[in-house]
Each structure stands twice: as C-alpha cells, then as structure tokens.
Amino acid sequence: MIWILLLFVWIAPLHLPAADFTPGPILKQALAGPMADVDEIVFAARYAGSPSNDGHWYANFGYYGPDANRKAYTEGGKLYRYHLRTGALKALVDDPKGGVRDPQVHYDGKKILFSYRKAGAPNYHLYEINIDGTGLKQLTNGPYDDLEPTYLANGEILFVSSRCNRWVNCWLTQVAVLYRADADGANIRPVSSNNEQDNTPWPLPDGRILYTRWEYVDRSQVHYHHLWSCNPDGTNQTVYYGNLHPGIVMIDSKPIPGTNKVVSIFSPAHGRREHDGVIAVVDPSAGPDAESFSRQITKANTFRDPWAFSESHFMAASGTSILMVDGKGNTETLVQLPIEDLAIRLQAHEPRPIIPRQRERVIPPRINLTKATGALLLSDVNRGRNMKGVQPGEIKKLLVLETLPMPIHYTGGMEPISYGGTFTLERIVGTVPIEPDGSAYFELPALRSFFFVALDENDMAVKRMQSFLTVQPGETTSCVGCHEDRVEAPPPGGRVLMAVRKGPGKVQPIADVPDVFDFPRDIQPILDRHCVKCHDYGNHRGGVILSADRGPMYSHSYFTLTVRDQIADGRNKAVSNYAPRTLGSSASALMKKLEPDHYGVRTTPHERKMVRLWIETGAAYPGTYAALGSGMIGSYTENQLDRTDLDWPTAKASLASLQQRCAACHTQDRPLPLSASDDQKLPPWNGLTIKDLRRRYSRHLLYNLTRPDQSMLLLAPLARKAGGYELCSAAVFPDTSDPDYRNILAYIREAKQHLDEMKRFDMPGFRPRIDWVREMKRYGILPQDHDAAKPVDYYAVERAYWESFWHRPQ
C-alpha cells in the first residue's frame, strides 16, 4: 500500500471570522441541544460547472466513451474545516487543478477519509488526513476512480469504484459500484455486481450499509434509483425503501440519531446535477413500499448532502453555502464560501461534524472466499403480490438469466441493442425445478447479477422478476416468494420445505441453444424458413416484411417485430410487478404465429424454443455490445442525431424530389421520413403505440439498404405496371425512369454504399470501434499491441470480458 506525503498540497492559512459573526437561531438551538458537543465541521468545495455541460447526477468522474480526452470531472477543489462557534474557516487541502469530495470523519474524530484527485491526475483515489491538515496519505491507487468512502465499524473501508470496468448502459460515462478494503487500502474486492451505479454508502446503527442502487431490469432506465441495504461484506442485499415507486433518485442517505429513520435527498425524476433535491425523512418501519412513510422537509430542489443531528436539526449543502435546516424546512446560512472561491465558481458539498462517534454494530462476515458460489432458497413461488390467477403447481421451473455489463457506451440510447427496448444483453444460465410445495433451493455463481422467469409446464413465462440479485461467495440467502410483500413473513407451520430436504441443486444449463442470442444469427434463419415466403417484398401479406434486408439501423424483420408489438417486454416503462403472463413469451404475439393455426406454419419444437428464449432474454438485435455506435445511417451520439447524410448531393436531390412529389399528401398526420437519418423526433419511446403512424412510416422500414430498389419509399408510390405497389391514391411514379424516382434511388444507393463501407456487426469484415478496442485493452482482454484495423472475434472477446468478472475462489 502506498503511503505518500503530498508536500505540494498548499495548506491554506486560517480564514479569520467576521467581526459580526453571530450564530443564527436554528444553530443556537442546535448548539444548546443535539449539537452541544459539536465545535467544528468539515466539508468539500469544488467547481460548480462541468466541462461537458452534463447534468447527469452520476457523471462526475472518469471520461466519455467516444473521447477519452473529454473528462467528466471538473478542476478546482478544497477540503475545509469550519468552527461553528467562532466562524473560523481553514482549508486543509487546496488544489486549484485537482478535485476534492466525499469527506468522512473517523470514529475517533481525529482524521478524515476523503476522495481526492491530484492536479494533473486523471483519477480520484482515497486519502486520509488529520483534522489539523497534517499527515496526508494515499490509500488507493491505479487507473480507477475510488469515491464516496465510509469507515466501517470493523476497521474496514467501504467505497464505490470504477474498478468494475463497465459503463452506464444508457449514457457515455463510467460506472462505480460497491467495493471494500482494509483500513490501509489493501485487499480491495467488489461487494456488488450491479451493471449501473451504486452510490453514497453509509453505515446504519445496526451495522448494515445503506446505499443507492440504480437498476433497470425489464423497466425504465431513468426511474429506479432507490435505497438498498446490505451487510458490510455484501451479503443480504435487499431493498430498503422505494424501489417499487418510480421517479425519484434517493441518495446521500444517513441515519437520524435516536431513531430508526434516515435523512435523504430526493432528487426529482432522473436526478439533478450533484444530487440536488429536497431533504426528506424516510421511516422504513412500514416496509419499503409505504410511500406515506417518507416526508419532505424542504420544498426547493436546491439541497444536497444532508446530515441529521436530530429529526428537527439538519445540516446540508446548497449552492455556495452550508445551511442549517430545521424540521419545518426553515434555513439559515451556516457557512458561506469565501470570495476567492466564488470568483472561481466553487460550490459547497458534503458537510460532516468533526466529533468522536460511536461505532455501529459489527455484523460478522458471512462469506467464504474459497467458494465459487452462494445459494438461494425460495420458500414458495406461489406467494407474492400481483399473483392473482396463478394456481399452485402451475409454475414448474425458474429460468435463470444474467444481466451482462457493458464495456463502453457512445450513444446515450439503446440503439442498436433494441428499438425502444432493452439496453442490456442477457445471458441464459439455465433452469432450476420448482418442487410441488413451491420451493426451490439452488446454487448460483457468486458476484454476478441474476434474475428469474417463472415458467409453466410448457416453459412459457408466468411471472418475471424486474430486479436482480447477487450472492456472495459462500452466502446462503432466501426469499419468501415471487414479488412477495416485504413486510410479510413466511406462514407458520414448521414444515420442512421439500427443496431443503434435497439440499441446494445446480442450475441446469440449456445445452442446445446459445446463451447469448444474436437476432441475425439465431432468429432470422427461422424466419427465412417459415415466414419470408409470405412476408417479403413482392408478397408482403398484411404489409409485414420479415426479410433480413437492412434498414438504416436494424434489419427490416427485427424492426417490424418490434413496432408491431410482437414482443411483450415491459421495458422503458415506469411500471413494476406486472400481472402474470403479461411479459415475456406468454404475452408475445410472435409465439402464437409459430403454430399451425397461423396459416399452417410448421416450426419445430427447437425453433419455437429458440424464439421463446430469445424473447425471454430481452429480444435484442445484436448479441454483442461491439455493435454499439456502428453500422448505422443516422446514428446517435450523446442522444444527438447524426444527419451528415444530408450533405450528400444525392440526399439534397432526393429531398427535393420527395418534397415536390410527396409532401402534399404526407403532412403532419401522415409523416414521411425525408432521408435515412430522419427519425421523425423518435425517441422518446414513452407513449409510442402501434397506432402512431411514425412507426408505419419509419425510416427503418422505408429505406432498404440491402436492395435499394426494393425500398418501400419507392415501391409504394410506383405504378403496379412498373413493378410497384401503387399504395398511394394514384401512382406517383409511372415508371422507374421518372427523374424524381431516380433521384431517390440514387440517394438510397449511396446510403447502401456508406453502410457497406462502415459495416454492421453481422456483415463480413466488421471491425468494432477503436473505443471498444481501447477499453478491451485497458481491461486486459485484448493485448496492448492489438491493431484495431485487424479482424477480431468480438463475440469471443466480449465473452472473455464478461468472464473476467467471475469470482475465482482464493
């Protein structure tokens, strides 16, 4: 472990208090009561802006996927010590080009743990410093960001870190999840497997860790970031409050002394920059779903980093000040940053009292690092909320799925992983049987993110989990039922569960299917054999095209299945806990079309199994994240649409022809995409139904970049006698020699040429983006001398990347 005395850090002189310094009434009352033993506080100050103007609450460390030189952090940071009774202010650390954040005072009140990015360095690491500003020492190092540390009662440190080597599935920045380390920073190991952010861990009096977990398994990517708890070793991960109710980021939570309540910031919607929101008090005594058991103290969304001295006395940061807040939301300024800080736009953050404090209860470790697995006991799959109509014995097995981390992100959306659906690839692990009494007991690989689909006797989905669980090495954990009420215990009776009598079983792999599906490779051949004869250009029954022809971003078949609601996935909706058989295979119309009742279709059991499991795993288009940000005309970068195709001379001529020949009919109520990059203001996806004509007239269907002359944009207005469909009220183009027809065709041919050159993931010669290669080198998956221009088996490389997270017994 590195112990470094940083002599270059300027220890600022003491700022003398103003002559008229007088504590306000809220502080006076607090100093006479719950703050009687508090003389000083510590807090951080850092630059208020962002070089990227990125307002995301989590995008404040690391760099951006498409440009490693573009940093998410800002420059300028200080660590301050302030005397409450005299107003004296002293900078313990002052680094105009560095960053300071997340101080936490030790139990003895004599030293401070914090996260610090030195001037000129790209990463935050953990440091300790004495409260007088001496003895600065570095605890962690490496090409990672270590943030939001907290001391633990057993002498360890818990923090969040980008050592997890993954990126936000819906944004261009890196992820940090829970890790632990010894007091000196040694023996670092992960305690979370989350694909998305974990944030602001803090010990509860009973020894558990309270933290924010962001997740979106089968549901909206922007609505679920609520309070969770776990033991310090990562065992017993469970929801603490709010995860059933969308629309609030609950963050920066800490216990309120003398109560079982916690104070938290409720940052609205998808959260505001630096966690700004209202101060709220949460009472967990009625369970995690009781919305009425949280109470907002303040009204304006301008507060962050609260500290509770009691239920009526709080300290919080707001703008350039540290405030005192009473139980009714009244405020007064405790500390105002000095003029020199205001001149360089610093803001105040993370106030903490400098006092000795009692250690929390120590929960003995429940892990065994020599084990590769943990175990899960399900008491009764039939018990739970929203299970009406599910009969005992109806659920026969669980399908075990794993959510797979993303190695890098570029766009901000899900394209082309799905169209308005999943952002995340999912792996099939296997199945486990449900015993006649509804119980199951089985081992799971440690430190990976799993969720389950309850299947009936025909392997069709009955109920689907919309969260994930993790087991630690050697841990045995349990759940009551399927989406059980969190304030309900198993029924009494003393019976021994049938699954317990057998002991923990193994998840049984499904041998004859891929574990990660790829639509062009695995599903399109089934459509080619059974569907394309009726659903291709020239014989498009019902206006449905299921051929493999490529549109600007997806194949026509994939896009058609999506926009015609043939897949029921529930994604990108602020809904949790759907009724039985409303998600997955049982609710997906495509499954019914694979049966003989649909015009005599004769699929094999294995083909139906393939389609069913593709649906259960999220119905993704590619089976690799290497497809992100590539092979598209009209792609997105940071949610901004790329429309450079409009600069092509052929595009300008085509646009003129479309406006001249089609604009009279295709007004706002019948929109027409005027180029292969015209997304007609889509996304957003919320509220987009099959009745929305932007689906029917989508660029993803009208432009054929495999067979340009088969583009519906040309066939629909072309006279039948010339080989067209003449779907317009009259033939717009009498034949293919029409000059406007030729202009449009020339543009589509050029779009095809560009696609052939840039290549999609399923095209021969495809090369992943250099950013993907850069990160795979950084993770040690690809050799450092790998040439990004050379071929690479990106499916195999990503499999190695995912397996790099697997726990290896010590």
Side-chain angles (χ1 to χ4, degrees):
M1 180 42 39
I2 296 178
W3 298 73
I4 302 176
L5 180 62
L6 300 177
L7 299 178
F8 63 87
V9 176
W10 177 51
I11 307 302
L14 194 69
H15 287 274
L16 296 177
D20 60 350
F21 173 77
T22 303
I26 300 177
L27 178 59
K28 281 184 177 179
Q29 185 184 52
L31 291 176
M35 295 177 65
D37 58 347
V38 181
D39 290 326
E40 294 181 293
I41 65 170
V42 63
F43 65 94
R46 55 183 176 271
Y47 183 63
S50 169
S52 63
N53 294 317
D54 185 347
H56 290 84
W57 54 274
Y58 52 84
N60 48 30
F61 64 91
Y63 54 88
Y64 283 75
D67 182 4
N69 294 315
R70 180 185 170 198
K71 309 302 182 184
Y73 56 78
T74 55
E75 292 186 344
K78 296 183 180 182
L79 183 65
Y80 273 121
R81 174 181 169 188
Y82 176 75
H83 201 288
L84 299 174
R85 302 171 193 273
T86 67
L89 184 68
K90 179 180 180 179
L92 304 179
V93 175
D94 185 349
D95 192 336
K97 295 293 184 180
V100 176
R101 53 180 293 171
D102 313 319
Q104 222 266 44
V105 179
H106 192 267
Y107 295 101
D108 63 13
K110 296 180 180 179
K111 58 185 178 181
I112 301 163
L113 175 68
F114 66 107
S115 185
Y116 178 30
R117 184 187 55 79
K118 298 185 298 181
N123 299 112
Y124 283 92
H125 294 302
L126 303 188
Y127 288 76
E128 275 186 329
I129 193 170
N130 296 327
I131 60 171
D132 63 0
T134 63
L136 182 68
K137 60 185 178 183
Q138 182 175 347
L139 302 182
T140 62
N141 57 27
Y144 315 101
D145 289 280
D146 301 323
L147 311 160
E148 300 175 348
T150 184
Y151 288 111
L152 298 180
N154 65 357
E156 297 178 353
I157 294 170
L158 196 74
F159 59 102
V160 301
S161 178
S162 67
R163 297 168 187 270
C164 58
N165 289 342
R166 62 200 63 177
W167 291 65
V168 175
N169 284 193
C170 60
W171 197 234
L172 289 69
T173 53
Q174 292 158 288
V175 165
V177 303
L178 293 174
Y179 278 71
R180 54 75 58 208
D182 295 344
D184 61 358
N187 295 317
I188 296 172
R189 72 169 183 86
V191 297
S192 169
S193 63
N194 197 355
N195 277 7
E196 305 299 340
Q197 305 282 353
D198 296 326
N199 283 96
T200 59
W202 203 272
L204 292 168
D206 63 9
R208 290 178 299 160
I209 304 300
L210 181 66
Y211 66 101
T212 299
R213 177 164 121 172
W214 178 19
E215 60 174 22
Y216 42 95
V217 178
D218 282 6
R219 52 184 179 169
S220 168
Q221 76 276 17
V222 295
H223 284 88
Y224 294 93
H225 1 59
H226 297 98
L227 300 181
W228 287 69
S229 66
C230 67
N231 295 337
D233 62 359
T235 58
N236 193 32
Q237 294 184 20
T238 188
V239 62
Y240 182 87
Y241 188 80
N243 196 50
L244 191 63
H245 305 295
I248 292 288
V249 176
M250 300 179 180
I251 201 162
D252 290 314
S253 304
K254 303 172 190 67
I256 300 176
T259 75
N260 70 333
K261 303 174 184 179
V262 300
V263 64
S264 182
I265 290 295
F266 282 14
S267 193
H270 189 34
R272 297 193 176 183
R273 179 181 297 167
E274 296 292 358
H275 310 176
D276 279 2
V278 300
I279 300 175
V281 171
V282 173
D283 181 352
S285 60
D289 304 326
E291 288 185 282
S292 62
F293 276 61
S294 65
R295 177 174 62 92
Q296 295 186 7
I297 302 297
T298 58
K299 294 182 180 180
N301 290 298
T302 56
F303 299 87
R304 55 182 173 268
D305 313 317
W307 183 279
F309 297 100
S310 70
E311 280 196 78
S312 56
H313 295 90
F314 304 92
M315 179 171 60
S318 180
T320 59
S321 304
I322 305 296
L323 305 178
M324 289 297 300
V325 184
D326 68 14
K328 296 181 180 180
N330 300 308
T331 66
E332 66 186 29
T333 300
L334 182 61
V335 189
Q336 174 66 51
L337 291 182
I339 294 176
E340 59 266 31
D341 288 351
L342 303 183
I344 59 174
R345 298 180 60 196
L346 295 190
Q347 289 194 342
H349 293 269
E350 299 118 10
R352 325 286 197 220
I354 302 177
I355 50 171
R357 57 193 173 90
Q358 184 176 355
R359 292 177 184 259
E360 300 81 17
R361 170 176 171 257
V362 175
I363 300 176
R366 300 176 182 177
I367 63 171
N368 183 346
L369 295 178
T370 66
K371 301 291 186 181
T373 64
L376 173 68
L377 173 62
L378 167 63
S379 177
D380 185 354
V381 74
N382 303 298
R383 293 184 62 84
R385 297 165 297 180
N386 209 2
M387 294 288 286
K388 184 178 180 180
V390 178
Q391 302 301 315
E394 182 176 348
I395 298 173
K396 301 298 186 182
K397 65 179 73 169
L398 296 180
L399 175 64
V400 182
L401 302 176
E402 178 182 6
T403 65
L404 297 172
M406 183 178 287
I408 188 169
H409 198 73
Y410 319 101
T411 70
M414 76 287 291
E415 305 86 7
I417 302 300
S418 72
Y419 182 77
T422 183
F423 286 78
T424 307
L425 298 179
E426 297 166 358
R427 170 195 276 139
I428 297 171
V429 182
T431 62
V432 294
I434 298 293
E435 299 298 330
D437 65 351
S439 64
Y441 189 22
F442 53 97
E443 293 184 346
L444 287 169
L447 283 167
R448 289 156 65 181
S449 298
F450 299 107
F451 68 103
F452 312 119
V453 182
L455 305 178
D456 65 14
E457 62 183 355
N458 297 313
D459 289 339
M460 301 294 281
V462 178
K463 190 76 172 177
R464 191 175 179 92
M465 185 175 172
Q466 291 182 274
S467 182
F468 74 90
L469 66 81
T470 298
V471 294
Q472 298 293 320
E475 176 187 11
T476 295
T477 188
S478 64
C479 51
V480 175
C482 189
H483 298 269
E484 75 269 17
D485 193 321
R486 294 290 184 159
V487 295
E488 182 179 280
R495 67 185 177 93
V496 178
L497 299 175
M498 296 177 71
V500 172
R501 293 175 185 157
K502 294 183 176 181
K506 305 286 187 182
V507 177
Q508 297 302 309
I510 304 176
D512 57 349
V513 300
D515 59 348
V516 180
F517 274 85
D518 184 280
F519 182 86
R521 182 193 65 201
D522 303 320
I523 304 302
Q524 185 63 48
I526 299 173
L527 303 180
D528 290 341
R529 287 192 292 269
H530 300 285
C531 307
V532 170
K533 61 184 177 182
C534 294
H535 299 294
D536 196 0
Y537 294 95
N539 188 21
H540 57 295
R541 290 188 183 180
V544 173
I545 301 293
L546 293 178
S547 70
D549 295 68
R550 296 182 177 90
M553 194 173 287
Y554 308 94
S555 70
H556 287 179
S557 58
Y558 181 83
F559 184 81
T560 297
L561 292 175
T562 300
V563 299
R564 287 184 174 264
D565 291 344
Q566 298 300 295
I567 311 299
D569 58 13
R571 288 168 170 82
N572 293 308
K573 294 180 176 64
V575 180
S576 284
N577 198 1
Y578 284 76
R581 298 189 184 273
T582 54
L583 292 180
S585 55
S586 289
S588 295
L590 178 59
M591 291 303 300
K592 298 179 177 62
K593 293 180 173 63
L594 301 180
E595 299 293 340
D597 288 347
H598 184 69
Y599 298 98
V601 170
R602 299 287 180 181
T603 55
T604 68
H606 184 262
E607 288 171 329
R608 292 193 293 276
K609 181 180 183 179
M610 291 279 286
V611 175
R612 174 178 59 81
L613 289 171
W614 170 69
I615 292 172
E616 307 296 19
T617 55
Y621 181 40
T624 170
Y625 289 124
L628 284 164
S630 59
M632 296 179 282
I633 306 295
S635 62
Y636 298 89
T637 299
E638 204 161 335
N639 288 332
Q640 297 300 308
L641 182 63
D642 177 8
R643 305 214 63 190
T644 54
D645 63 309
L646 295 182
D647 296 331
W648 308 342
T650 58
K652 295 177 181 178
S654 175
L655 179 60
S657 293
L658 287 168
Q659 289 175 331
Q660 178 178 342
R661 305 294 288 277
C662 305
C665 291
H666 287 280
T667 54
Q668 287 186 347
D669 61 334
R670 298 178 67 192
L672 189 71
L674 299 178
S675 79
S677 66
D678 185 358
D679 68 356
Q680 304 182 90
K681 299 182 180 179
L682 296 176
W685 314 107
N686 290 343
L688 183 64
T689 69
I690 196 170
K691 296 181 180 180
D692 193 314
L693 288 180
R694 289 176 295 175
R695 285 184 165 194
R696 180 177 174 185
Y697 296 115
S698 169
R699 64 184 176 121
H700 301 298
L701 287 178
L702 269 58
Y703 290 84
N704 190 323
L705 305 190
T706 299
R707 297 178 284 176
D709 61 339
Q710 296 295 296
S711 294
M712 195 63 70
L713 189 67
L714 295 171
L715 293 173
L718 182 63
R720 287 191 183 92
K721 64 181 181 180
Y725 298 156
E726 203 171 320
L727 296 178
C728 301
S729 56
V732 177
F733 302 131
D735 55 52
T736 58
S737 65
D738 184 289
D740 290 318
Y741 175 97
R742 304 302 298 178
N743 285 341
I744 300 168
L745 177 59
Y747 163 71
I748 301 174
R749 283 174 172 168
E750 183 166 2
K752 176 188 184 307
Q753 179 182 346
H754 278 267
L755 178 59
D756 289 344
E757 291 172 356
M758 67 174 67
K759 300 187 186 305
R760 194 164 292 173
F761 68 95
D762 61 337
M763 297 169 68
F766 170 77
R767 302 286 186 274
R769 288 177 52 143
I770 59 173
D771 324 84
W772 182 92
V773 173
R774 178 195 71 212
E775 295 303 299
M776 289 302 183
K777 288 181 179 180
R778 185 167 74 90
Y779 304 149
I781 307 301
L782 283 175
Q784 294 301 308
D785 59 355
H786 175 77
D787 184 351
K790 291 184 177 180
V792 62
D793 185 344
Y794 36 93
Y795 292 98
V797 170
E798 284 202 332
R799 184 170 296 274
Y801 161 72
W802 295 322
E803 291 181 2
S804 71
F805 302 116
W806 292 7
H807 170 67
R808 268 75 180 181
Q810 297 180 358

